[in-house]
Amino acid sequence: MAAITASTTNYLWSMQDILGHGATASVYKARHKRSGELVAVKVFNVVSYNRPHEVQMREFEMLRKLNHNNIIRLHAVEDLPSKQKVLVMEYCPGGSLLSVLEDPENAFGLDEAEFLTVLQCVGQ
């Protein structure tokens, strides 16, 4: 079966390379078409467009302004051919904090040193 791909002007991804999904969007591993840089692309679903357009744009602007080591960086907001907006973000190969906590080896929690590191990062 051939992989289904999607793209914006600068990024390309396979719909099979899903990193996660939530109530309003799915996130895919993608590559910059020229440089090959790995990124994460957040593609919004129909439910997300029930929010007023101004609210979405304000959220995009806020994400652009955030600059912290513990927060995934927003690189760009691009359009699919359908004019649907996608967020192009920093790729985090380690996954989310939730994926770390759900790892079977952490079924009984993190050891104290790891827990303190996570707590310090969340607190920042």
Side-chain angles (χ1 to χ4, degrees):
M1 180 180 203
I4 298 171
T5 60
S7 69
T8 62
T9 302
N10 297 302
Y11 298 90
L12 176 70
W13 62 95
S14 167
M15 301 302 279
Q16 294 172 322
D17 285 337
I18 192 159
L19 298 172
H21 56 85
T24 61
S26 295
V27 180
Y28 301 91
K29 183 166 56 170
R31 287 196 181 274
H32 190 276
K33 290 178 181 177
R34 288 199 176 101
S35 71
E37 174 192 18
L38 274 175
V39 294
V41 177
K42 186 174 187 177
V43 180
F44 294 94
N45 62 30
V46 185
V47 174
S48 71
Y49 288 96
N50 289 335
R51 296 182 306 162
H53 182 72
E54 317 76 64
V55 172
Q56 283 185 334
M57 293 299 108
R58 191 169 55 231
E59 180 181 347
F60 295 166
E61 277 308 307
M62 192 64 188
L63 287 170
R64 276 191 179 117
K65 293 176 183 177
L66 287 174
N67 184 13
H68 192 280
N69 289 338
N70 298 334
I71 299 174
I72 297 292
R73 269 186 204 21
L74 175 68
H75 293 307
V77 178
E78 293 205 359
D79 293 321
L80 290 169
S82 65
K83 303 298 180 203
Q84 183 179 359
K85 301 278 187 219
V86 298
L87 301 181
V88 180
M89 303 174 297
E90 176 182 7
Y91 174 64
C92 180
S96 67
L97 175 57
L98 179 59
S99 66
V100 169
L101 295 175
E102 288 180 336
D103 190 325
E105 73 181 42
N106 298 321
F108 298 105
L110 301 173
D111 67 38
E112 185 177 357
E114 288 177 312
F115 175 78
L116 290 173
T117 299
V118 169
L119 190 59
Q120 179 182 16
C121 291
V122 169
Q124 289 178 350

